Amino acid sequence: MAIGVFDSGVGGLSIHRALVDRIPEADFIYLGDQKHAPYGERSGEEIVELTRQGCEILFNAGASIVVLACNTASAVALRRLQSTWLADYRKSVGRPVNVLGIIVPTIEAATGLPWEHEAERRGAKIENVDVLGIFCTTATARSRVYEIEIDKRRQDLAVFTEPCIGLAGMIEAGESEEKLRAVVDSRVQALKTRIGRYPDRAILGCTHYEIIGDLFRDALPEGTPLIHQPSSVASALERYLERHSKFTVGVSGRRLFLTTGNAGKQPKIVDAFWGAPLTFEIAT
Ligand code: DGL
């Protein structure tokens, strides 16, 4: 068995890299649904169905756990799949399988609180509000998951999400750094205008953006802390596997990279992030 890592395209590699670093002996199967990328402007129904299909491909290929290395799929599809599909699917395959998202560990890292914690609402005036900026896709912003879940836990943390329309698609297409930088700069400035100042901290809440993390670091004031989603997810997965030994994930360090799109090389910007040329095989 293996750990499956799913994204609409190459963005999930940012999560995958952190998982591989943390659990190098495990077998990994990566799937980018590049035929349907990007997801960020799609309807909720489409995102749910595409995510379900991606999970099935990974389970069929031998995954026991699928990590949705995609904020959009985690925000829009995970709960629906858990409530409408996963239990029946599990019965049909007759072995333990599960799907995990990446938003819970990210919110735990942002709030510094375990997921179970809900703040008491005392109605007192809160001073010294910390402002958290989250760059994400339109679908993630529309779900309001970050605002809602953080507000339940920390009333002294104000969340502003900034959709970066088209940016994930540009990364998939291997656009030039100059063009990517122009979009990143404009979204950071748009967020600044909306808040009235720069955020105190930020999250790259679309896994594609981590691939061009330096452009966000350049656009934000020097030293702005970025909550690192990949390492939060890696820690959460490690703890999850320790608690749930029924999910076996292999020990031979096998790596397989699949795509629903065209087989072959990935954009240079992705190779640079990965540190070596990457080739994807066609998922069957
Ligand atoms: N990488 C994904 C995310 O984290 C999806 C981006 C997209 O396909 O639009 O949201």
Side-chain angles (χ1 to χ4, degrees), residues 78-167:
L78 181 57
R79 273 198 196 162
R80 269 279 297 285
L81 294 179
Q82 282 167 337
S83 61
T84 61
W85 168 74
L86 191 56
D88 287 343
Y89 180 76
R90 208 175 265 141
K91 272 189 216 140
S92 75
V93 291
R95 63 182 170 92
V97 291
N98 205 8
V99 182
L100 306 174
I102 58 174
I103 289 179
V104 169
T106 310
I107 288 178
E108 288 184 324
T111 58
L113 293 167
W115 185 248
E116 300 70 40
H117 182 96
E118 285 207 13
E120 255 179 60
R121 292 187 174 270
R122 289 203 201 84
K125 191 161 174 275
I126 294 160
E127 310 211 345
N128 300 326
V129 172
D130 219 16
V131 176
L132 179 63
I134 302 182
F135 299 95
C136 59
T137 65
T138 304
T140 300
R142 209 172 40 212
S143 79
R144 297 187 57 77
V145 63
Y146 280 106
E147 286 93 328
I148 294 168
E149 298 298 341
I150 290 176
D151 184 62
K152 279 186 200 164
R153 293 163 175 84
R154 287 270 306 264
Q155 268 100 66
D156 58 346
L157 201 53
V159 179
F160 289 82
T161 50
E162 181 63 32
C164 305
I165 299 165
L167 185 56

Coordinates of all heavy atoms in Angstrom, one line a residue, residues 78-167:
L78 N -14.1 17.7 0.4 CA -13.8 16.7 1.4 C -15.1 16.3 2.3 O -15.4 15.1 2.4 CB -12.7 17.1 2.3 CG -12.2 16.1 3.4 CD1 -11.9 14.8 2.8 CD2 -11.1 16.7 4.2
R79 N -15.7 17.3 2.9 CA -16.9 16.9 3.7 C -18.0 16.2 2.9 O -18.6 15.2 3.4 CB -17.5 18.2 4.3 CG -16.8 18.5 5.6 CD -17.6 19.4 6.4 NE -16.7 20.0 7.4 CZ -16.9 21.1 8.1 NH1 -18.0 21.7 8.0 NH2 -16.0 21.5 9.0
R80 N -18.2 16.6 1.7 CA -19.2 16.0 0.9 C -18.9 14.5 0.6 O -19.7 13.6 0.7 CB -19.4 16.7 -0.5 CG -20.4 17.8 -0.4 CD -21.9 17.3 -0.6 NE -22.1 16.7 -1.9 CZ -22.2 17.4 -3.0 NH1 -22.2 18.7 -3.0 NH2 -22.4 16.7 -4.2
L81 N -17.6 14.3 0.3 CA -17.2 12.9 0.0 C -17.3 12.1 1.2 O -17.7 10.9 1.1 CB -15.8 12.9 -0.6 CG -15.6 13.6 -2.0 CD1 -14.2 13.5 -2.5 CD2 -16.5 12.9 -3.0
Q82 N -16.9 12.6 2.4 CA -17.0 11.9 3.6 C -18.5 11.5 3.9 O -18.8 10.4 4.4 CB -16.4 12.6 4.8 CG -14.9 12.6 4.8 CD -14.3 13.7 5.7 OE1 -14.9 14.7 6.1 NE2 -13.1 13.5 6.1
S83 N -19.4 12.4 3.6 CA -20.8 12.1 4.0 C -21.5 11.4 3.0 O -22.5 10.7 3.3 CB -21.5 13.4 4.4 OG -21.5 14.3 3.3
T84 N -21.1 11.4 1.7 CA -22.0 10.8 0.7 C -21.3 9.6 0.0 O -22.0 8.8 -0.7 CB -22.3 11.8 -0.4 OG1 -21.1 12.3 -1.0 CG2 -23.1 13.0 0.1
W85 N -20.0 9.4 0.1 CA -19.4 8.5 -0.8 C -18.4 7.5 -0.1 O -18.4 6.3 -0.3 CB -18.6 9.2 -1.9 CG -17.6 8.4 -2.7 CD1 -18.0 7.5 -3.7 CD2 -16.2 8.4 -2.6 NE1 -16.8 6.9 -4.2 CE2 -15.8 7.4 -3.6 CE3 -15.3 9.1 -1.8 CZ2 -14.4 7.1 -3.7 CZ3 -13.9 8.8 -2.0 CH2 -13.5 7.8 -2.9
L86 N -17.6 8.0 0.8 CA -16.5 7.3 1.3 C -16.9 6.0 2.1 O -16.2 5.0 1.8 CB -15.6 8.2 2.3 CG -14.3 7.7 2.7 CD1 -13.4 7.3 1.5 CD2 -13.5 8.7 3.6
A87 N -17.9 6.0 2.9 CA -18.3 4.8 3.6 C -18.7 3.7 2.7 O -18.2 2.5 2.9 CB -19.4 5.1 4.6
D88 N -19.5 4.0 1.7 CA -19.9 2.9 0.7 C -18.7 2.5 -0.1 O -18.5 1.3 -0.4 CB -20.9 3.5 -0.3 CG -22.3 3.6 0.4 OD1 -22.4 3.0 1.5 OD2 -23.1 4.3 -0.1
Y89 N -17.8 3.4 -0.5 CA -16.6 3.0 -1.3 C -15.7 2.1 -0.5 O -15.3 1.1 -1.0 CB -15.9 4.3 -1.7 CG -14.6 3.9 -2.5 CD1 -14.8 3.6 -3.8 CD2 -13.4 3.9 -1.9 CE1 -13.7 3.2 -4.6 CE2 -12.3 3.6 -2.7 CZ -12.4 3.2 -4.0 OH -11.3 2.8 -4.7
R90 N -15.6 2.4 0.8 CA -14.7 1.6 1.7 C -15.3 0.2 1.8 O -14.5 -0.8 1.6 CB -14.8 2.2 3.1 CG -13.6 2.0 4.0 CD -13.8 2.8 5.2 NE -13.1 4.1 5.2 CZ -13.6 5.2 5.8 NH1 -14.8 5.2 6.3 NH2 -13.0 6.3 5.7
K91 N -16.6 0.0 1.9 CA -17.2 -1.3 1.9 C -16.9 -2.0 0.6 O -16.6 -3.2 0.6 CB -18.7 -1.2 2.1 CG -19.1 -1.2 3.5 CD -20.6 -1.3 3.7 CE -21.1 -0.4 4.9 NZ -22.3 0.3 4.6
S92 N -17.0 -1.3 -0.5 CA -16.9 -1.9 -1.8 C -15.5 -2.4 -2.1 O -15.3 -3.4 -2.7 CB -17.3 -1.0 -3.0 OG -16.3 0.0 -3.2
V93 N -14.5 -1.7 -1.5 CA -13.1 -2.2 -1.7 C -12.6 -3.2 -0.6 O -11.7 -4.0 -0.8 CB -12.0 -1.1 -1.8 CG1 -12.2 -0.3 -3.1 CG2 -12.0 -0.2 -0.6
G94 N -13.4 -3.2 0.5 CA -13.1 -4.2 1.5 C -11.7 -4.1 2.2 O -11.2 -5.1 2.7
R95 N -11.2 -2.9 2.3 CA -9.9 -2.7 3.0 C -10.0 -1.2 3.5 O -10.7 -0.4 3.0 CB -8.7 -2.9 2.1 CG -8.6 -1.9 0.9 CD -7.4 -2.2 0.0 NE -7.4 -1.5 -1.2 CZ -6.9 -0.3 -1.4 NH1 -6.2 0.3 -0.4 NH2 -6.9 0.3 -2.6
P96 N -9.1 -1.0 4.6 CA -9.2 0.4 5.1 C -8.6 1.4 4.1 O -7.5 1.3 3.7 CB -8.3 0.3 6.4 CG -7.9 -1.1 6.5 CD -8.1 -1.8 5.2
V97 N -9.5 2.4 3.9 CA -9.0 3.6 3.0 C -9.5 4.8 3.7 O -10.6 4.8 4.3 CB -9.5 3.5 1.6 CG1 -8.9 2.3 0.8 CG2 -11.0 3.4 1.5
N98 N -8.8 5.9 3.5 CA -9.3 7.2 4.0 C -8.8 8.4 3.2 O -7.8 8.2 2.5 CB -8.9 7.4 5.5 CG -9.9 8.3 6.2 OD1 -11.0 8.7 5.6 ND2 -9.6 8.7 7.4
V99 N -9.5 9.5 3.3 CA -9.2 10.7 2.5 C -8.9 11.8 3.6 O -9.8 12.0 4.4 CB -10.3 11.1 1.6 CG1 -9.8 12.4 0.8 CG2 -10.6 10.0 0.6
L100 N -7.8 12.5 3.5 CA -7.5 13.5 4.5 C -7.3 14.8 3.7 O -6.8 14.9 2.6 CB -6.2 13.2 5.2 CG -6.1 11.8 6.0 CD1 -4.7 11.6 6.5 CD2 -7.2 11.7 7.1
G101 N -7.7 15.9 4.4 CA -7.5 17.2 3.8 C -6.4 18.0 4.4 O -5.7 17.5 5.2
I102 N -6.1 19.2 3.9 CA -5.0 20.0 4.4 C -5.4 21.2 5.1 O -4.5 22.0 5.6 CB -4.0 20.3 3.2 CG1 -4.7 21.1 2.1 CG2 -3.4 19.0 2.7 CD1 -3.7 21.6 1.0
I103 N -6.6 21.5 5.3 CA -7.0 22.7 5.9 C -7.0 22.7 7.4 O -6.6 23.6 8.1 CB -8.4 23.2 5.3 CG1 -8.2 23.6 3.9 CG2 -9.0 24.3 6.2 CD1 -9.4 24.1 3.1
V104 N -7.4 21.5 8.0 CA -7.4 21.4 9.4 C -6.0 21.6 10.0 O -5.8 22.5 10.9 CB -8.0 20.0 9.9 CG1 -7.7 19.8 11.4 CG2 -9.5 19.9 9.6
P105 N -4.9 20.9 9.5 CA -3.6 21.2 10.1 C -3.1 22.7 9.9 O -2.4 23.2 10.7 CB -2.7 20.2 9.4 CG -3.5 19.5 8.3 CD -4.9 19.8 8.6
T106 N -3.6 23.3 8.8 CA -3.2 24.6 8.5 C -3.8 25.6 9.5 O -3.2 26.5 10.0 CB -3.6 25.0 7.0 OG1 -3.1 24.0 6.2 CG2 -2.9 26.4 6.6
I107 N -5.1 25.3 9.8 CA -5.8 26.2 10.8 C -5.2 26.0 12.2 O -5.1 26.9 12.9 CB -7.3 25.9 10.7 CG1 -7.8 26.5 9.4 CG2 -8.0 26.5 11.9 CD1 -9.3 26.4 9.1
E108 N -4.9 24.7 12.5 CA -4.2 24.5 13.8 C -2.9 25.3 13.9 O -2.6 25.9 14.9 CB -3.9 23.0 13.9 CG -5.2 22.2 14.2 CD -5.0 20.7 14.5 OE1 -4.0 20.1 13.9 OE2 -5.7 20.1 15.3
A109 N -2.2 25.3 12.8 CA -0.9 26.1 12.8 C -1.2 27.6 12.9 O -0.5 28.3 13.6 CB -0.1 25.7 11.5
A110 N -2.2 28.0 12.2 CA -2.5 29.5 12.2 C -3.0 29.9 13.6 O -2.7 31.0 14.0 CB -3.5 29.8 11.1
T111 N -3.8 29.1 14.2 CA -4.4 29.5 15.5 C -3.5 29.1 16.7 O -3.7 29.7 17.8 CB -5.8 28.9 15.7 OG1 -5.6 27.4 15.7 CG2 -6.8 29.3 14.7
G112 N -2.6 28.2 16.5 CA -1.8 27.6 17.6 C -2.7 26.8 18.5 O -2.3 26.6 19.7
L113 N -3.8 26.3 18.0 CA -4.7 25.6 18.9 C -5.1 24.3 18.2 O -5.2 24.2 17.0 CB -6.0 26.4 19.1 CG -5.9 27.7 19.8 CD1 -7.2 28.6 19.7 CD2 -5.7 27.4 21.3
P114 N -5.4 23.2 19.0 CA -5.9 22.0 18.4 C -7.3 22.2 17.8 O -8.0 23.0 18.3 CB -5.9 21.0 19.6 CG -6.0 21.9 20.8 CD -5.3 23.2 20.5
W115 N -7.6 21.4 16.8 CA -8.9 21.5 16.1 C -10.1 21.5 17.0 O -11.1 22.2 16.8 CB -8.9 20.4 15.1 CG -10.1 20.5 14.2 CD1 -11.2 19.6 14.1 CD2 -10.3 21.5 13.1 NE1 -12.1 20.0 13.1 CE2 -11.6 21.2 12.5 CE3 -9.6 22.6 12.7 CZ2 -12.1 21.9 11.5 CZ3 -10.2 23.4 11.7 CH2 -11.4 23.1 11.1
E116 N -10.0 20.7 18.1 CA -11.1 20.5 19.0 C -11.5 21.8 19.8 O -12.6 21.9 20.3 CB -10.8 19.4 20.1 CG -10.5 18.0 19.5 CD -9.2 18.0 18.8 OE1 -8.2 18.6 19.3 OE2 -9.1 17.3 17.7
H117 N -10.5 22.7 19.8 CA -10.7 23.9 20.6 C -11.7 24.9 20.0 O -11.6 25.2 18.8 CB -9.4 24.6 20.8 CG -9.5 25.8 21.6 ND1 -9.2 25.8 23.0 CD2 -9.9 27.1 21.4 CE1 -9.4 27.0 23.5 NE2 -9.8 27.8 22.5
E118 N -12.7 25.3 20.8 CA -13.6 26.3 20.3 C -13.6 27.4 21.3 O -13.8 27.2 22.5 CB -15.0 25.8 20.1 CG -15.1 25.0 18.8 CD -16.5 25.0 18.1 OE1 -17.3 25.9 18.5 OE2 -16.7 24.2 17.2
A119 N -13.4 28.7 20.9 CA -13.3 29.8 21.8 C -14.6 30.1 22.5 O -15.7 29.9 21.9 CB -12.8 31.0 21.0
E120 N -14.5 30.5 23.7 CA -15.7 31.0 24.4 C -16.0 32.4 23.9 O -15.1 33.2 23.8 CB -15.3 31.1 25.9 CG -15.9 30.1 26.8 CD -15.5 30.3 28.2 OE1 -15.8 31.4 28.8 OE2 -14.8 29.4 28.8
R121 N -17.2 32.7 23.6 CA -17.5 34.0 23.1 C -18.0 34.9 24.3 O -19.1 34.7 24.8 CB -18.6 33.9 22.1 CG -18.1 33.3 20.8 CD -19.1 33.4 19.7 NE -18.5 32.8 18.5 CZ -17.8 33.6 17.6 NH1 -17.7 34.9 17.8 NH2 -17.3 33.0 16.6
R122 N -17.2 35.8 24.7 CA -17.5 36.6 25.9 C -18.1 37.9 25.6 O -18.6 38.6 26.4 CB -16.3 36.8 26.8 CG -15.8 35.5 27.5 CD -15.0 35.8 28.7 NE -14.2 34.7 29.1 CZ -13.0 34.4 28.5 NH1 -12.5 35.3 27.6 NH2 -12.3 33.4 28.9
G123 N -18.0 38.3 24.3 CA -18.6 39.6 23.9 C -17.7 40.8 24.3 O -18.1 41.9 24.1
A124 N -16.5 40.5 24.9 CA -15.7 41.6 25.3 C -15.0 42.2 24.1 O -14.8 41.5 23.1 CB -14.6 41.1 26.3
K125 N -14.6 43.5 24.2 CA -13.9 44.1 23.1 C -12.5 43.5 23.0 O -11.8 43.4 24.0 CB -13.9 45.6 23.4 CG -13.4 46.4 22.2 CD -13.8 47.9 22.4 CE -13.2 48.7 21.2 NZ -11.8 49.1 21.5
I126 N -12.2 43.2 21.8 CA -10.8 42.5 21.6 C -9.8 43.6 21.1 O -10.1 44.2 20.1 CB -10.9 41.3 20.7 CG1 -11.8 40.3 21.4 CG2 -9.6 40.7 20.4 CD1 -12.4 39.3 20.4
E127 N -8.7 43.7 21.8 CA -7.7 44.6 21.3 C -6.6 43.8 20.7 O -6.5 42.6 20.8 CB -7.2 45.4 22.5 CG -8.4 46.0 23.3 CD -8.2 47.3 23.9 OE1 -7.0 47.7 24.1 OE2 -9.2 47.9 24.3
N128 N -5.7 44.5 20.0 CA -4.6 43.9 19.3 C -4.9 42.7 18.4 O -4.5 41.6 18.6 CB -3.6 43.4 20.4 CG -3.1 44.5 21.3 OD1 -2.9 45.6 20.8 ND2 -2.9 44.3 22.5
V129 N -5.8 43.0 17.5 CA -6.2 41.9 16.5 C -5.0 41.7 15.6 O -4.5 42.7 15.1 CB -7.5 42.3 15.8 CG1 -7.8 41.3 14.7 CG2 -8.7 42.4 16.7
D130 N -4.7 40.4 15.4 CA -3.7 40.0 14.4 C -4.3 39.9 13.1 O -5.4 39.2 13.0 CB -3.2 38.7 14.9 CG -1.7 38.5 14.8 OD1 -1.0 39.6 14.6 OD2 -1.2 37.4 14.9
V131 N -3.7 40.3 12.0 CA -4.4 40.2 10.7 C -3.6 39.2 9.9 O -2.4 39.2 9.6 CB -4.4 41.6 10.0 CG1 -5.0 41.4 8.6 CG2 -5.2 42.6 10.7
L132 N -4.4 38.2 9.5 CA -3.9 37.0 8.7 C -4.4 37.1 7.2 O -5.6 37.2 7.0 CB -4.4 35.7 9.3 CG -4.0 34.4 8.7 CD1 -2.5 34.2 8.7 CD2 -4.7 33.3 9.4
G133 N -3.5 37.2 6.3 CA -3.9 37.3 4.9 C -3.7 35.9 4.3 O -2.7 35.2 4.5
I134 N -4.8 35.5 3.5 CA -4.7 34.1 2.9 C -4.9 34.3 1.4 O -5.9 34.8 0.9 CB -5.8 33.2 3.5 CG1 -5.6 33.1 5.0 CG2 -5.7 31.8 2.8 CD1 -6.5 32.1 5.7
F135 N -3.9 33.9 0.6 CA -4.0 33.9 -0.8 C -4.5 32.5 -1.3 O -3.9 31.5 -0.9 CB -2.6 34.2 -1.4 CG -2.1 35.6 -1.0 CD1 -1.2 35.7 0.1 CD2 -2.5 36.7 -1.6 CE1 -0.8 36.9 0.6 CE2 -2.1 38.0 -1.1 CZ -1.2 38.1 0.0
C136 N -5.5 32.5 -2.1 CA -6.1 31.2 -2.5 C -6.9 31.3 -3.8 O -6.9 32.4 -4.4 CB -7.0 30.8 -1.3 SG -8.4 32.0 -1.0
T137 N -7.6 30.3 -4.1 CA -8.4 30.3 -5.4 C -9.7 30.9 -5.1 O -10.1 31.0 -3.9 CB -8.6 28.8 -5.9 OG1 -9.4 28.1 -5.0 CG2 -7.3 28.1 -6.2
T138 N -10.5 31.2 -6.1 CA -11.8 31.7 -6.0 C -12.7 30.7 -5.2 O -13.5 31.1 -4.3 CB -12.4 32.0 -7.4 OG1 -11.5 32.8 -8.1 CG2 -13.8 32.6 -7.3
A139 N -12.6 29.4 -5.5 CA -13.5 28.4 -4.9 C -13.2 28.3 -3.4 O -14.1 28.2 -2.5 CB -13.3 27.1 -5.5
T140 N -11.9 28.4 -3.0 CA -11.5 28.3 -1.6 C -12.1 29.6 -0.9 O -12.6 29.5 0.2 CB -10.0 28.2 -1.4 OG1 -9.6 27.0 -2.0 CG2 -9.6 28.1 0.1
A141 N -11.9 30.8 -1.5 CA -12.3 32.0 -0.9 C -13.9 32.0 -0.7 O -14.4 32.3 0.3 CB -11.9 33.2 -1.8
R142 N -14.6 31.5 -1.8 CA -16.0 31.4 -1.7 C -16.5 30.5 -0.6 O -17.5 30.7 0.0 CB -16.5 30.9 -3.1 CG -17.9 31.3 -3.5 CD -18.2 30.9 -5.0 NE -17.7 29.6 -5.2 CZ -17.3 29.1 -6.4 NH1 -17.2 30.0 -7.4 NH2 -16.9 27.9 -6.6
S143 N -15.8 29.4 -0.3 CA -16.2 28.5 0.8 C -16.1 29.2 2.1 O -16.8 28.7 3.1 CB -15.3 27.3 0.8 OG -14.0 27.6 1.4
R144 N -15.3 30.2 2.3 CA -15.1 30.9 3.5 C -14.6 30.0 4.7 O -14.8 30.4 5.9 CB -16.4 31.7 4.0 CG -16.8 32.8 3.0 CD -17.9 33.6 3.4 NE -17.7 34.3 4.7 CZ -16.9 35.4 4.9 NH1 -16.3 35.9 3.8 NH2 -16.7 35.9 6.1
V145 N -14.1 28.8 4.3 CA -13.7 27.9 5.4 C -12.7 28.5 6.3 O -12.8 28.3 7.6 CB -13.2 26.5 4.8 CG1 -12.0 26.7 3.9 CG2 -13.0 25.5 5.9
Y146 N -11.7 29.2 5.8 CA -10.7 29.7 6.7 C -11.3 30.8 7.7 O -11.0 30.7 8.9 CB -9.5 30.3 5.9 CG -8.5 29.3 5.4 CD1 -8.5 28.9 4.1 CD2 -7.6 28.7 6.3 CE1 -7.6 28.0 3.6 CE2 -6.7 27.7 5.8 CZ -6.7 27.4 4.5 OH -5.8 26.4 4.0
E147 N -12.1 31.7 7.1 CA -12.7 32.7 8.0 C -13.6 32.1 9.1 O -13.4 32.4 10.3 CB -13.6 33.6 7.2 CG -12.9 34.6 6.3 CD -12.7 34.1 4.9 OE1 -12.6 32.9 4.7 OE2 -12.7 34.9 4.0
I148 N -14.4 31.1 8.7 CA -15.4 30.5 9.6 C -14.7 29.7 10.7 O -14.9 29.9 11.9 CB -16.4 29.6 8.8 CG1 -17.3 30.5 7.9 CG2 -17.3 28.8 9.8 CD1 -18.1 29.7 6.9
E149 N -13.8 28.9 10.3 CA -13.1 28.0 11.3 C -12.1 28.7 12.2 O -12.0 28.3 13.3 CB -12.4 26.8 10.5 CG -13.4 25.9 9.7 CD -14.5 25.2 10.6 OE1 -14.3 25.1 11.8 OE2 -15.5 24.8 10.1
I150 N -11.5 29.7 11.6 CA -10.6 30.5 12.5 C -11.4 31.3 13.5 O -11.0 31.4 14.7 CB -9.5 31.3 11.7 CG1 -8.6 30.3 11.0 CG2 -8.8 32.3 12.6 CD1 -7.6 30.9 10.0
D151 N -12.5 31.9 13.0 CA -13.3 32.7 13.9 C -13.9 31.9 15.1 O -14.0 32.5 16.2 CB -14.4 33.4 13.1 CG -15.2 34.3 13.9 OD1 -14.6 35.3 14.4 OD2 -16.4 34.1 14.2
K152 N -14.1 30.7 14.8 CA -14.7 29.8 15.9 C -13.6 29.7 17.0 O -14.0 29.3 18.2 CB -15.0 28.4 15.4 CG -16.3 28.3 14.7 CD -16.4 26.8 14.4 CE -17.4 26.5 13.3 NZ -17.3 25.2 12.7
R153 N -12.4 29.8 16.7 CA -11.3 29.4 17.6 C -10.6 30.6 18.2 O -10.1 30.6 19.3 CB -10.3 28.5 16.9 CG -10.9 27.2 16.6 CD -10.2 26.3 15.6 NE -10.9 25.0 15.5 CZ -11.9 24.8 14.8 NH1 -12.4 25.7 14.0 NH2 -12.5 23.6 14.8
R154 N -10.4 31.7 17.4 CA -9.6 32.8 17.8 C -10.3 34.1 17.3 O -10.3 34.5 16.2 CB -8.2 32.8 17.1 CG -7.3 31.7 17.7 CD -6.4 32.2 18.9 NE -5.7 33.5 18.6 CZ -4.4 33.5 18.2 NH1 -3.8 32.4 18.0 NH2 -3.8 34.7 17.9
Q155 N -10.9 34.9 18.3 CA -11.5 36.1 17.9 C -10.5 37.3 17.8 O -10.9 38.4 17.4 CB -12.6 36.5 19.0 CG -14.0 36.0 18.6 CD -14.3 34.7 19.3 OE1 -14.4 34.8 20.6 NE2 -14.3 33.6 18.6
D156 N -9.3 37.0 18.2 CA -8.3 38.0 18.0 C -7.4 37.9 16.8 O -6.3 38.4 16.6 CB -7.3 38.0 19.3 CG -6.6 36.7 19.4 OD1 -7.1 35.7 18.8 OD2 -5.7 36.6 20.2
L157 N -8.0 37.1 15.8 CA -7.3 36.9 14.6 C -8.3 37.2 13.4 O -9.3 36.5 13.3 CB -6.9 35.4 14.5 CG -5.8 34.9 13.6 CD1 -4.5 35.7 13.8 CD2 -5.5 33.4 13.8
A158 N -8.0 38.3 12.7 CA -8.9 38.7 11.6 C -8.4 38.1 10.3 O -7.2 38.2 10.0 CB -9.0 40.2 11.5
V159 N -9.2 37.4 9.6 CA -8.8 36.7 8.4 C -9.3 37.4 7.1 O -10.5 37.7 7.0 CB -9.3 35.2 8.4 CG1 -8.9 34.5 7.1 CG2 -8.8 34.5 9.6
F160 N -8.4 37.7 6.2 CA -8.8 38.2 4.9 C -8.3 37.3 3.8 O -7.1 37.0 3.7 CB -8.1 39.6 4.7 CG -8.7 40.7 5.6 CD1 -8.3 40.8 6.9 CD2 -9.6 41.6 5.1 CE1 -8.8 41.8 7.7 CE2 -10.2 42.6 5.9 CZ -9.8 42.7 7.2
T161 N -9.2 36.8 3.0 CA -8.8 35.9 1.9 C -8.7 36.7 0.6 O -9.5 37.6 0.4 CB -9.7 34.7 1.7 OG1 -11.0 35.1 1.6 CG2 -9.5 33.7 2.8
E162 N -7.7 36.5 -0.2 CA -7.5 37.2 -1.4 C -7.5 36.2 -2.6 O -6.5 35.5 -2.7 CB -6.2 38.0 -1.4 CG -5.9 38.8 -2.6 CD -6.9 39.9 -2.9 OE1 -7.5 40.4 -1.9 OE2 -7.2 40.2 -4.1
P163 N -8.5 36.1 -3.4 CA -8.5 35.1 -4.5 C -7.5 35.6 -5.6 O -7.5 36.8 -5.9 CB -9.9 35.1 -5.0 CG -10.7 36.1 -4.2 CD -9.8 36.8 -3.2
C164 N -6.7 34.7 -6.0 CA -5.7 35.1 -7.1 C -6.2 34.4 -8.4 O -5.7 33.3 -8.7 CB -4.3 34.6 -6.7 SG -3.8 35.2 -5.1
I165 N -7.1 35.0 -9.0 CA -7.8 34.4 -10.2 C -6.7 34.1 -11.3 O -6.0 35.0 -11.7 CB -8.9 35.3 -10.7 CG1 -9.9 35.5 -9.6 CG2 -9.5 34.7 -12.0 CD1 -10.9 36.7 -9.9
G166 N -6.7 32.9 -11.8 CA -5.9 32.5 -12.9 C -4.5 32.1 -12.5 O -3.7 31.6 -13.4
L167 N -4.0 32.4 -11.3 CA -2.6 32.2 -11.0 C -2.2 30.7 -11.0 O -1.1 30.4 -11.6 CB -2.3 32.8 -9.6 CG -0.8 32.8 -9.2 CD1 0.1 33.5 -10.2 CD2 -0.7 33.5 -7.8

